[in-house]
Amino acid sequence: MAAAVPLLFLGVFFAWPVLTLVGRGLVADGSLDLSGFAEVLGRPRTWRIVGLTLAQATLGTVISVLLGVPGAAVLYRSRFPGRGVLRALVTVPFVLPTVVVGVAFRALLRDNGPLGFLHLDGTFAAIVAALVFFNYAVVVRTVGGLWERLDPRPEQAARSLGASPARAFLTVTLPALTPALTSAASLVFLFCATAFGTVLVLGGMRFGTVETEIWIQTTQFLDLRAASVLSVVQVVVVVAALAVAGRARARRERALSLVDTPVRAVGRPHPLPAVVTAVVLVLLALPLAALVLGSLRTGDGWGLDHYRALGTTGGRNALTVTVWEALGNSLRVAVDATVLALVVGCLVALLVSRRPRRPAARRAVGVLDGVFMLPLGVSAVTVGFGALLTLGHPFGIATDLRATGVLVPVAQAVVAVPLVVRTVLPVLRAVDPRLQEAARTLGAGPGRVLATVDGALAARSVGLAVGFAFAVSLGEFGATSFLARPDRPTLPVVVFRLIGQPGADNYGMALAAGVVLALLTAGVMAAAERLRGPVGGEL
């Protein structure tokens, strides 16, 4: 039963839409037809898009890792006042909606912005910078979380044998961190390669990626076959990246010697990583400051005019609803999506946390763990596009579900399920099986063991998972942009529409709406972070 519900949910609302989309590129008139691949892959535009996708993902990954390792050293292996606050601040960009990140960078880099003199607005460099801004926390948290639990004795032994701090780091610590670095790099590459809202806002038609190209081919050129072929290409890249991430996680869990509690941090951080981290923190704060300042700038000075305008539909009725009504839609959808993601994600975590004795069963659990992580990497645009194609009248339902809006929370839940799993699963795996056996010995049934042992120990991580799912749903844009009804847009959709409308007032409203969305999302995550226990998922 625990396996049936999530398998059915992901089968209907994830696998079916995605495979249908893949089928559009492979099947024509009921038979296999690869001519669509030849046609789409023969276009110079396709290879330019694929090249840009790989280039931005590679650069974003390399820079994030190079900057993230010093950040992990300072925030997880050093001790100084305010370290906890800085850890929280570093995480803020990762939980911001991608559309808001794009708007913040536009406010920073546009001609009259604080860094307008650099003339980077609308350039490839701006996109890479935004991707690093978004993914820096992934490297810091993933590497830092492992680093603070590494057994310090091998490094201490190297130092006692005469190795310098640098040599001890390069020959002992860095090899031990390699699995975490590989895992973090794989995830960052995945997030960069499937970035949508940020690239769409900053790059437009000039610096598109496979993700944005799928959206453009569908909504502007109505070329569903080309979009399907591009989705297949993206799925292949995503599966390869997930395979690398899975192997890295497996090595991390098996090969390293870890301590049960975080190693006591050393004193002041080393000057070099401290300087690098300080510069990065300033750079992380700049786009957020530009977003806030831009929302307060009016035609004749400073004021709250753009915030007052959030109760209107914008200049020349740019919107069909007010921003506050869109926020209400976002909150309602996020509640529904969170409930769905929590039920499915907790069942998945419970299933893959089991340790069956038979080798075949253990392999099956490992396969299921990878399968349930696929929505983390498969593009939200692909999920939304596939749902649009397949779930209009599923199983003979007379009502067109696309017109009801019910598919929006479902698609957002599909995106959030892997995050719920990765948050709850480490805690369930850390439960001492002797506690369960003791409860059974005392006469407790399976349900009571689950409630009083697993459930009690995982309660805090479930609370954190609620925060993750709610924040992800609030900021989700890729799938929602396909599925949201025109009269019931969510807040990220409204922000994107305002950016595309002419007029300084509409742009100011977009900035103000971005600030509201950023504050709401960061507030949800700040509250959820207080529930994080000593054992928890990184993402």
Side-chain angles (χ1 to χ4, degrees), residues 206-228:
R206 186 181 177 192
F207 293 110
T209 61
V210 173
E211 185 87 350
T212 59
E213 185 68 7
I214 294 170
W215 185 82
I216 291 171
Q217 292 291 339
T218 305
T219 60
Q220 298 191 18
F221 299 149
L222 302 179
D223 189 346
L224 300 185
R225 197 176 194 190
S228 301

Side-chain angles (χ1 to χ4, degrees), residues 48 155 192 230 273 329 335 360 400 412 444 450 476 500-501 504 538:
R48 185 178 69 83
E155 184 175 348
C192 291
L230 290 170
N329 294 334
V335 170
D400 189 344
Q412 292 183 354
L450 181 64
E476 208 287 322
Q501 297 295 324
E538 291 91 6

